[in-house]
Amino acid sequence: MNGHFRKRGQSWYVWFDIGPGLDGRRRQKSVGGFATKREAQAAFVELRDQHSRRNGGVPTSKLALGQYLVEEWLPVAKTSLRPSTWTTTCHYVRAHVCPALGHVALKGLTTAQLNAFYSTLLADGRRDGRGGLAPESVRHVHGIVHKAITDAVRWGYLARNPATHARPPVRRRVEMKVWSPLELRAFLAHVAGDRLYAAWLLMATTGMRRGEVLGLRWVDVDLERARLSVVQNLTVADHQVVVGEPKTAKGRRPVALDPATVAALWAHRRAQEGERAAAGTAWRDTGLVFSLPDGSVIHPRRFSRWFEQRRQRAGLPPIRLHDVRHSYATAALAAKVAPKVVSERLGHTNVMATLDTYSHVLPTMQDEAAATVAALVLNRVGPSGHRPPAPPMKG
């Protein structure tokens, strides 16, 4: 039995389905006058149990974790998750959580069971039988379970969340693979005649995400002012391309462009106009900056494969397409661009996320900062070879 909650005036109300009528149409009932949302949720649970008992269903006290996740939680989670995130969440729930713990009563789930589950996933969690899941994947499973049971507590099914004190594997920092500015330059030289050269250049000079580049529209680009706005993102859900919001709230951002990138975008626009004329009535008017020759959307995974093909032909060290973004950020910080500016250009939630992600750049910056400030204070020659001006004498 599905339901939802809403506040009217000073009271909370709950609406719930009571099954179709004789004409097959959906019927709902509402109960209200509750002082808090928690009271409305508790009333809903009791009403649902009564309804389940009358119709031979399963009361909340016997509700299994798998049934709760698939029938109760996933449909609600779909309304708040990005399509790609929801698809991944469904995969982890159906492929890992339900087979192992789906039969366990929701109210009987323990922290010890979750810890044992995570250990099993680490040791032998791959569906192809070739070993365990990566620690980060197990942490992802834990995040899903924790959120689902947190909602169960909020909805009045449980008094506490057993996942709160569970111990998923510790996140291990993987060494980041990036290209140096010289390697980035070599790649761009290799793809200089490429139909999508402007896309490769845009990623290298702005650090934009793959989905942000592929979702960029001409209406979001102002070449006269050398600016663009990131307002949408292309992702993949169930192998289909989905247009959605940027990854984070800060992902919606303006991005300044350098003259070389602006020139490349002008050239790309002229070339695309030629493709449009050649396609005639077959042209797909998506409004996208980067598209297939008929104007249709480029699948993000296809774009990544194209990058890998070009990387191999250029003879450059193996990195992922997303690592071009990391290469940009590393080069910007090494060039002493303010971390706050780099964070804003990347669309990170805050500057601490930038500093944590690219902490491998900081030791050198720390050394230079120490030498520069000491030179200023002690009036000695700094790392640049210049002696800073002596501070003015008082009196």
Side-chain angles (χ1 to χ4, degrees):
M1 183 174 70
N2 295 322
H4 65 276
F5 309 93
R6 185 182 304 166
K7 190 174 185 181
R8 283 189 173 181
Q10 299 300 315
S11 301
W12 281 91
Y13 289 75
V14 56
W15 279 260
F16 52 91
D17 294 331
I18 58 174
L22 296 177
D23 58 359
R25 293 184 178 180
R26 179 186 185 189
R27 294 188 302 161
Q28 284 192 316
K29 185 177 180 180
S30 64
V31 178
F34 302 103
T36 65
K37 186 176 181 180
R38 184 177 292 275
E39 291 180 10
Q41 291 170 336
F44 170 64
V45 172
E46 179 58 31
L47 289 167
R48 190 179 60 179
D49 282 353
Q50 293 175 8
H51 178 77
S52 295
R53 285 192 291 270
R54 284 196 301 268
N55 293 277
V58 180
T60 303
S61 59
K62 297 183 180 179
L63 183 65
L65 175 63
Q67 184 179 358
Y68 163 73
L69 290 173
V70 174
E71 298 181 9
E72 301 281 344
W73 185 72
L74 280 176
V76 176
K78 186 176 183 179
T79 63
S80 59
L81 295 177
R82 299 166 70 230
S84 58
T85 304
W86 187 76
T87 299
T88 303
T89 299
C90 286
H91 167 73
Y92 279 122
V93 167
R94 297 179 188 276
H96 299 293
V97 183
C98 285
L101 298 174
H103 64 285
V104 177
L106 177 62
K107 286 193 172 182
L109 185 65
T110 67
T111 301
Q113 286 174 314
L114 290 174
N115 286 336
F117 170 52
Y118 300 150
S119 296
T120 300
L121 289 181
L122 280 172
D124 191 28
R126 289 185 52 156
R127 299 185 70 189
D128 60 8
R130 300 170 64 181
L133 292 182
E136 195 61 30
S137 296
V138 179
R139 289 186 63 86
H140 197 159
V141 172
H142 168 70
I144 291 170
V145 172
H146 188 276
K147 177 64 171 67
I149 301 180
T150 296
D151 286 341
V153 173
R154 288 177 53 243
W155 297 343
Y157 295 176
L158 296 172
R160 55 178 291 276
N161 187 347
T164 299
H165 299 292
R167 299 294 296 272
V170 177
R171 178 181 285 109
R172 296 175 182 174
R173 185 176 294 276
V174 179
E175 183 180 356
M176 188 177 295
K177 294 182 179 180
V178 298
W179 279 344
S180 69
L182 287 177
E183 289 168 329
L184 269 176
R185 190 183 308 165
F187 176 78
L188 292 173
H190 176 76
V191 297
D194 196 277
R195 177 179 170 274
L196 293 175
Y197 170 71
W200 309 124
L201 180 62
L202 186 63
M203 294 194 72
T205 58
T206 65
M208 289 171 63
R209 299 177 177 92
R210 176 185 68 177
E212 294 170 345
V213 170
L214 296 180
L216 185 65
R217 302 169 300 177
W218 283 116
V219 295
D220 304 322
V221 180
D222 187 343
L223 294 178
E224 298 289 347
R225 297 180 58 238
R227 293 286 189 279
L228 64 79
S229 298
V230 177
V231 298
Q232 68 176 28
N233 183 50
L234 292 191
T235 56
V236 179
D238 284 335
H239 308 289
Q240 300 298 315
V241 179
V242 178
V243 179
E245 296 288 321
K247 187 175 180 180
T248 64
K250 290 291 184 70
R252 293 180 66 94
R253 65 195 186 278
V255 178
L257 303 173
D258 64 279
T261 302
V262 170
L265 286 169
W266 274 120
H268 178 76
R269 187 167 193 170
R270 290 191 293 269
Q272 191 181 70
E273 289 169 354
E275 291 176 342
R276 180 172 189 157
T281 57
W283 178 259
R284 304 284 297 278
D285 194 8
T286 58
L288 295 172
V289 174
F290 303 109
S291 63
L292 295 175
D294 66 349
S296 56
V297 175
I298 297 174
H299 196 292
R301 291 174 184 166
R302 192 177 192 183
F303 191 61
S304 292
R305 287 197 298 272
W306 288 344
F307 170 77
E308 175 59 16
Q309 291 167 0
R310 286 151 179 76
R311 181 206 64 79
Q312 290 182 11
R313 292 169 188 163
L316 290 166
I319 65 170
R320 304 168 303 163
L321 176 59
H322 190 71
D323 293 330
V324 174
R325 173 177 167 86
H326 295 323
S327 300
Y328 163 82
T330 299
L333 290 170
K336 301 183 180 60
V337 176
K340 183 70 165 65
V341 174
V342 176
S343 178
E344 290 173 351
R345 285 180 65 80
L346 293 174
H348 280 170
T349 304
N350 53 58
V351 70
M352 291 308 300
T354 307
L355 294 176
D356 181 59
T357 303
Y358 302 105
S359 58
H360 62 286
V361 187
L362 300 183
T364 301
M365 296 176 67
Q366 289 266 18
D367 294 342
E368 293 177 353
T372 300
V373 175
L376 177 64
V377 173
L378 302 175
N379 193 27
R380 294 177 179 172
V381 176
S384 62
H386 298 288
R387 185 185 300 275
M393 300 293 292
K394 290 187 177 181

